[in-house]
Amino acid sequence: MSETILSVKNLAVDFKTDDGVVRAVKGVSFDIPKGKTVGLVGESGSGKSVSSLAVMGLIPNPPGEVTSGEILFDGQDLLKVSDAEMRRVRGNRISMIFQEPMTSLNPVFTVGNQICESLILHQGLDKRAAKQKAIELLDQVGIPNPSERVDSYPHEMSGGQRQRVMIAMAIACEPELLIADEPTTALDVTIQKQILELMADLQKKYGMSVLFITHDLGVIADIADDVVVMYRGDIVEKGNTEQIFQKPQHPYTKGLLACRPSLESNPQRLPMVSDFMTDEGEEIPNDIEATKGDKFVRSISEEENPIILQLKGVQKHFPLQKTLFGKVTKWVKAVDGVTLNVRKGRTLGLVGESGCGKTTLGRTVLRLIEPTGGQVIYDGKDITALDPNEMREMRKRMQIIFQDPYASLNPRMTVGAAIMEPMVIHNLGGSKAERVKMAGDLMERVGLSRMMLNRYPHEFSGGQRQRICIARALAVKPDFIICDESVSALDVSVQAQILNLLLDLQEEYGLTYIFISHDLAVVKFISDEVAVMYNGQVVEMNDAIGIYENPQHDYTKKLLSAIPKGIPKTMLQQ
């Protein structure tokens, strides 16, 4: 039996709101053994991040307050120590990696300065020694040319590099406990794999304990020794990883495990948490194995599914360097000669890491950015040759759902007005009353109430906002939709709902999709064909099953090998 480094007992956290007091954490208890990793799992709003902020003494007061419980760190109750004493613990003995490195790093200081701050404060190093240690730390977390990059600013680094800087800051003082709050959520699978391997190596080196917070059970299987599952502020299940994965007891845990797309199974529809439990938390009997039935592979016929979109040598180059007189001397070839076909009523999955050119290609297809070269032919018309009026007419037929639904919706506009705006621009629907009715019908079609039309975007959850963006895209009755990373930031259960909805809408309206994502398991579930992009080019294209069962290109093999297997590490070691 290993010793316990952190013991949370009966922790309750309340927040005061305009509608009264909300209990975000409802008397939870869990332990973190020394040198072990505990996975804290649950969807947005389950209370997992609030629990971790309470451990760090970072609950904002007001409006938040820890109302009861104990947080025993190495035997000392952190809820009873002074602010000065808590500052000595925080960042020194307990460190935290936050979810979004760009908002956690100060944009006006170099990354070296930010790492040095805690070394000077907690370790008493002078500036020169702290900078040398910062360079060593950057080297340790795999940043290339650390002696140069120590003077870089956060915006000069990629997402994966910024996350590595956050890890370097967190381990600078060799903490006994590291809290990682969704540290890999927005990263590509290959970068995610590197970050997880890095954290495992650092844990071994320093003998750290880790509290790893995520909604992705596939990741938890790879790294955690024990799992704690949270739902609506309560812990509904806890145990060792193998036990949780092999014999889950609570219906919520069963639902979370079932609704993640898998490379092994190919279901017709993804199971959802609501298939396993009611809103009140009561179990609905459900056989997980039965929900994994194989999907019927849709045949493609030349008559029913003619080629509707052709890309011929499409290029998009951005100027990188210019001379004093404006002559471009260096280009970034974001899309570099892409040729592919998309069939009517089917889904083409476009996969690759950040920076491979997939989003640029999607926007170039719709002429949201103008191509540098090549042709985009939609239903026999060369889009690249259309004038602005003809292109506006074509946009009725071609729509896009963006990655971030909150950034896609005007915060000052009700969702009803947002859905009706495309109808007004394209002169559809007739009178205002008819448009309101159409907007209400669309809300109901995407699983929301027409009574919500007068609400604003901030009054909805992330999953609901994504449904509103889908309703807005459908407002002009398009034939073709580009889904640009439209489920990547969502909880797995919400992601399952949106993916099922997209398939239902495709069946109902005969829609054609290009589905852009870096998540290969999601792409396999929703796509008929898959194109793999690397450095602005399509390096491999095949039907969805062929790409996974028989990958040809080394890059495709690398992407597939980086996907979390969802098999507990103890089982892999047997």
Side-chain angles (χ1 to χ4, degrees):
M1 185 77 182
S2 55
E3 284 181 78
T4 299
I5 183 84
L6 185 82
S7 188
V8 174
K9 296 183 177 179
N10 199 32
L11 176 70
V13 182
D14 290 354
F15 284 87
K16 291 190 179 77
T17 72
D18 292 341
D19 298 323
V21 175
V22 173
R23 178 147 288 192
V25 176
K26 303 170 181 175
V28 304
S29 302
F30 61 91
D31 295 335
I32 301 175
K34 280 191 177 170
K36 298 285 186 185
T37 298
V38 173
L40 189 56
V41 184
E43 298 168 283
S44 302
S46 62
K48 56 191 193 302
S49 291
V50 173
S51 302
S52 68
L53 290 171
V55 171
M56 292 291 287
L58 293 174
I59 297 288
N61 187 358
E65 187 186 2
V66 176
T67 49
S68 73
E70 295 176 303
I71 299 173
L72 302 174
F73 175 66
D74 215 10
Q76 183 181 32
D77 188 352
L78 297 180
L79 295 176
K80 291 181 178 166
V81 301
S82 67
D83 287 351
E85 209 165 340
M86 192 65 213
R87 277 195 295 275
R88 282 195 289 275
V89 171
R90 191 193 302 127
N92 188 22
R93 298 183 66 197
I94 306 178
S95 269
M96 190 161 182
I97 305 167
F98 293 96
Q99 180 171 354
E100 182 38 76
M102 198 57 190
T103 55
S104 308
L105 292 167
N106 192 324
V108 300
F109 291 106
T110 64
V111 296
N113 276 338
Q114 296 181 63
I115 297 169
C116 289
E117 189 179 11
S118 61
L119 291 166
I120 293 165
L121 180 68
H122 294 298
Q123 305 280 299
L125 300 184
D126 61 34
K127 282 186 179 178
R128 192 174 169 184
K131 185 166 184 179
Q132 190 50 46
K133 174 78 171 168
I135 292 169
E136 287 169 25
L137 286 161
L138 289 176
D139 186 42
Q140 224 174 345
V141 298
I143 299 274
N145 308 321
S147 52
E148 293 171 23
R149 298 315 297 269
V150 75
D151 295 318
S152 296
Y153 289 88
H155 72 270
E156 297 177 295
M157 296 183 141
S158 70
Q161 287 176 331
R162 286 196 290 266
Q163 198 58 285
R164 286 167 187 267
V165 170
M166 288 289 296
I167 293 171
M169 286 171 69
I171 62 162
C173 299
E174 298 178 20
E176 295 150 68
L177 173 63
L178 179 66
I179 298 173
D181 186 7
E182 302 264 16
T184 61
T185 297
L187 301 179
D188 295 323
V189 280
T190 48
I191 307 292
Q192 172 177 276
K193 188 182 183 189
Q194 292 168 17
I195 297 291
L196 294 176
E197 286 172 353
L198 169 65
M199 287 181 67
D201 291 344
L202 293 170
Q203 181 180 20
K204 213 172 283 180
K205 180 174 180 179
Y206 295 116
M208 289 185 301
S209 307
V210 177
L211 178 62
F212 194 98
I213 300 166
T214 184
H215 62 254
D216 189 337
L217 280 152
V219 169
I220 284 294
D222 280 13
I223 59 152
D225 300 289
D226 299 306
V227 180
V228 176
V229 183
M230 285 191 78
Y231 176 67
R232 293 187 179 174
D234 277 320
I235 289 174
V236 293
E237 189 164 358
K238 52 187 170 184
N240 69 54
T241 310
E242 194 172 328
Q243 182 188 317
I244 295 285
F245 275 75
Q246 292 301 300
K247 291 182 179 171
Q249 299 301 307
H250 196 276
Y252 181 65
T253 314
K254 292 175 186 175
L256 280 184
L257 283 165
C259 64
R260 176 90 179 91
S262 144
L263 289 181
E264 281 67 50
S265 63
N266 199 26
Q268 191 76 31
R269 286 176 67 81
L270 287 171
M272 297 183 289
V273 171
S274 58
D275 295 331
F276 292 82
M277 63 186 282
T278 63
D279 284 346
E280 290 73 41
E282 290 169 18
E283 183 163 11
I284 300 169
N286 198 325
D287 179 5
I288 290 181
E289 290 309 312
T291 63
K292 289 182 178 174
D294 268 358
K295 186 179 187 172
F296 173 67
V297 179
R298 300 188 293 180
S299 61
I300 291 177
S301 76
E302 300 289 332
E303 289 163 20
E304 281 184 45
N305 310 109
I307 292 167
I308 194 162
L309 178 70
Q310 290 176 285
L311 307 188
K312 295 182 176 180
V314 173
Q315 296 177 322
K316 181 59 193 176
H317 300 169
F318 294 97
L320 187 64
Q321 274 181 359
K322 291 182 180 180
T323 64
L324 188 63
F325 301 104
K327 188 186 176 190
V328 178
T329 55
K330 201 171 179 185
W331 296 86
V332 172
K333 295 180 178 179
V335 176
D336 196 19
V338 169
T339 298
L340 54 82
N341 297 328
V342 183
R343 290 189 175 273
K344 188 176 182 180
R346 293 293 178 254
T347 301
L348 172 73
L350 198 56
V351 292
E353 297 170 284
S354 299
C356 72
K358 55 190 190 300
T359 292
T360 303
L361 180 63
R363 292 179 182 218
T364 306
V365 166
L366 296 181
R367 269 183 64 188
L368 296 175
I369 46 180
E370 293 294 333
T372 308
Q375 285 180 296
V376 178
I377 297 167
Y378 183 78
D379 203 11
K381 281 187 180 174
D382 184 353
I383 285 180
T384 50
L386 298 181
D387 66 34
N389 286 333
E390 291 171 318
M391 193 61 222
R392 174 180 280 204
E393 200 58 33
M394 185 57 83
R395 289 234 168 88
K396 281 186 199 172
R397 301 185 61 191
M398 306 173 82
Q399 287 288 303
I400 186 166
I401 303 164
F402 293 102
Q403 178 171 358
D404 183 350
Y406 196 63
S408 312
L409 295 166
N410 186 331
R412 294 196 179 99
M413 200 181 260
T414 65
V415 299
I419 293 170
M420 288 187 285
E421 187 181 33
M423 300 178 199
V424 174
I425 290 168
H426 292 290
N427 200 22
L428 297 170
S431 68
K432 188 178 178 185
E434 286 172 312
R435 286 178 183 145
V436 169
K437 183 184 181 305
M438 281 169 67
D441 292 345
L442 285 166
M443 284 286 275
E444 288 181 352
R445 185 62 203 85
V446 298
L448 298 171
S449 165
R450 61 174 65 238
M451 307 301 287
M452 297 174 168
L453 285 173
N454 289 327
R455 293 190 190 174
Y456 289 86
H458 71 271
E459 297 179 82
F460 294 87
S461 69
Q464 287 174 324
R465 284 198 287 265
Q466 198 57 285
R467 286 167 185 268
I468 291 159
C469 289
I470 293 171
R472 191 173 193 263
L474 292 172
V476 290
K477 300 181 180 169
D479 318 317
F480 170 78
I481 298 178
I482 292 177
C483 306
D484 184 10
E485 298 272 14
S486 48
V487 297
S488 61
L490 303 177
D491 290 327
V492 281
S493 61
V494 179
Q495 175 179 279
Q497 293 169 17
I498 299 295
L499 291 171
N500 288 340
L501 171 64
L502 288 170
L503 284 178
D504 290 346
L505 293 169
Q506 183 172 48
E507 204 67 40
E508 189 175 335
Y509 300 119
L511 296 170
T512 306
Y513 294 140
I514 288 182
F515 191 91
I516 298 171
S517 181
H518 62 253
D519 189 329
L520 282 94
V522 166
V523 166
K524 177 174 183 271
F525 167 72
I526 200 166
S527 303
D528 299 292
E529 294 178 285
V530 176
V532 181
M533 275 193 84
Y534 178 61
N535 278 352
Q537 298 178 329
V538 170
V539 294
E540 184 166 358
M541 186 163 173
N542 201 344
D543 63 64
I545 293 172
I547 256 262
Y548 292 89
E549 291 183 353
N550 189 23
Q552 299 298 307
H553 198 276
D554 287 344
Y555 179 67
T556 312
K557 292 172 186 172
K558 179 186 162 194
L559 282 181
L560 286 166
S561 67
I563 297 172
K565 302 292 178 282
I567 302 168
K569 58 182 181 178
T570 49
M571 292 175 68
L572 293 172
Q573 289 157 5
Q574 287 168 8

